Amino acid sequence: MKKLVALLLTIIMVLAMTACGGRTEAPTVATPTETQAKATPTEAAETAAPSFELPGDVEYVVPFSAGGGSDLYSRTAANIMSELNLLGKRAVTVTNKPGGGGSVGDAYTVTKKGDGTTITAYVSAQITSPITTGTGITYDQLTPICNLALDEYTIGISASAEYQTMEEFLAYAKAHPGEITVGGSGMGTEDNLCTGLIEMYCDVDLEYIPYDSSGEVMTAVLGGHLNAGIFNPNEAISQYQAGEVLLIGAFGPERISVLPEVPTFTEQGYKDVQFQQFRGVFGPPDMEPAAVDFWVNVYSQVVEHPDWTEGYLAKNGLTANFIYGEAYQSFIDNEAAKYQSVLDSLGLSAK
């Protein structure tokens, strides 16, 4: 009898819906594109739940040498993926393909057209390299996936220098045009861009000297062979804490977490002298949207893991910056335009 009553109630409900012209509609689900501008990593994980399954193991390309900055964040991310089992049964292998400021690795990645199992570390230098050389793979030939963090930069001087502040350094540079040397790693690199921004917006004429490594730059600054050097926080913090080097300006819009005493260029009156190296992830050309969404979902979980937030970001003085979708594309376009402008002003653009 109970079964009969339940059946009659079901029939009545269906008839009522039909009489009202009612029809059950599938709920509208927001896509990553619709929410990306405001999405937190957690929201990205919830909204970007793509129907994509990895067809094979993952190759994580790092277009720079083992042990460098790109290698560090890529291996940190890959380890978290494995620990959280974010790739299911698929393994992830980090492959270093250094050379040409990232051009060798990018040339390899571009051959993996449409492959959802290939991803690559992507940083500012991979945009500047084709600008300065006129050759290589440009960023618009690959597929942007997401940005993960921003690497900070500072300018440092010897503690024994006759100038001790940014104001004094710039005044000294104006009094000695073309004589003040600033060292950095490589030509046309992020260090070179930072120096160019100082020249453009602080009205000084500096001589940029490229070195093979930040260690060599630090040695030259301490030895009095350079007036100043461009450094990431972890490249100078030991000498800063020891009182051997003065860090007189940070290039980011806000003070660096591990160097809270160092003032920014912005707060010292030079708001246009801003630079932070982005550290992100790209895919090969024509990566399908479902694969892109899959990787956004994976990385949205990676960037909230303690090994990332504390073991990587906080430890190395980087700033969290998770962006994906159209917001990431817009960010990359703006960065590329900025780099082009600075490199043009320095006479380093190949075009």
Side-chain angles (χ1 to χ4, degrees):
M1 183 65 179
K2 290 182 179 179
K3 292 183 179 180
L4 179 59
V5 171
L7 177 60
L8 288 172
L9 287 173
T10 301
I11 293 172
I12 290 170
M13 290 174 63
V14 172
L15 289 174
M17 291 177 61
T18 304
C20 294
R23 186 165 58 92
T24 55
E25 298 285 350
T28 301
V29 179
T31 65
T33 302
E34 293 170 331
T35 59
Q36 65 206 358
K38 299 179 181 179
T40 64
T42 300
E43 290 169 340
E46 292 172 350
T47 60
S51 57
F52 174 81
E53 293 186 7
L54 289 169
D57 290 341
V58 173
E59 182 174 24
Y60 201 144
V61 180
V62 177
F64 300 95
S65 300
S70 293
D71 187 67
L72 176 60
Y73 85 84
S74 298
R75 291 185 185 274
T76 300
N79 289 339
I80 294 171
M81 290 177 197
S82 298
E83 180 182 339
L84 297 181
N85 196 32
L86 299 179
L87 307 181
K89 297 180 180 179
R90 302 303 185 184
V92 54
T93 300
V94 176
T95 305
N96 295 91
K97 292 188 176 294
S103 62
V104 172
D106 289 346
Y108 173 79
T109 301
V110 83
T111 66
K112 301 293 184 174
K113 184 175 180 179
D115 184 0
T117 65
T118 300
I119 54 176
T120 183
Y122 206 86
V123 299
S124 305
Q126 284 154 270
I127 292 181
T128 62
S129 179
I131 294 175
T132 57
T133 63
T135 60
I137 305 302
T138 56
Y139 76 95
D140 53 1
Q141 292 178 267
L142 300 170
T143 302
I145 295 175
C146 61
N147 194 64
L148 305 174
L150 298 174
D151 212 344
E152 305 290 350
Y153 283 78
T154 65
I155 181 170
I157 59 175
S158 170
S160 62
E162 58 184 283
Y163 34 81
Q164 297 285 288
T165 65
M166 177 66 70
E167 183 179 1
E168 292 175 356
F169 173 75
L170 293 176
Y172 188 87
K174 289 177 181 179
H176 301 81
E179 299 177 18
I180 307 306
T181 54
V182 179
S185 300
M187 183 66 74
T189 60
E190 294 86 355
D191 296 358
N192 203 167
L193 286 172
C194 288
T195 306
L197 285 169
I198 297 174
E199 289 188 275
M200 289 175 67
Y201 296 110
C202 297
D203 192 28
V204 291
D205 181 15
L206 306 173
E207 182 182 1
Y208 178 77
I209 308 294
Y211 284 76
D212 291 332
S213 69
S214 60
E216 293 179 353
V217 176
M218 179 60 75
T219 298
V221 169
L222 294 176
H225 306 297
L226 283 172
N227 295 102
I230 306 297
F231 304 103
N232 290 127
N234 62 348
E235 294 170 344
I237 194 167
S238 296
Q239 292 82 357
Y240 172 73
Q241 292 174 338
E244 300 173 336
V245 165
L246 300 177
L247 299 178
I248 58 175
F251 287 85
E254 299 179 357
R255 295 196 180 195
I256 302 170
S257 60
V258 295
L259 295 168
E261 306 88 0
V262 179
T264 66
F265 276 89
T266 297
E267 64 186 283
Q268 296 184 83
Y270 303 99
K271 63 180 179 62
D272 293 314
V273 183
Q274 282 195 28
F275 182 82
Q276 294 167 293
Q277 180 187 38
F278 68 84
R279 293 195 177 279
V281 185
F282 271 53
D286 299 335
M287 178 180 276
E288 61 179 291
V292 173
D293 288 350
F294 172 85
W295 286 112
V296 168
N297 181 279
V298 167
Y299 277 102
S300 69
Q301 297 172 76
V302 166
V303 299
E304 292 198 326
H305 193 280
D307 287 353
W308 182 267
T309 58
E310 300 301 323
Y312 174 64
L313 296 182
K315 182 179 179 180
N316 295 286
L318 280 82
T319 300
N321 186 258
F322 183 73
I323 316 173
Y324 66 101
E326 292 178 3
Y328 186 37
Q329 182 67 65
S330 177
F331 170 81
I332 291 294
D333 290 339
N334 290 336
E335 288 297 288
K338 180 178 182 178
Y339 304 164
Q340 183 74 60
S341 175
V342 177
L343 292 171
D344 284 346
S345 73
L346 294 174
L348 296 177
S349 176
K351 295 182 180 180

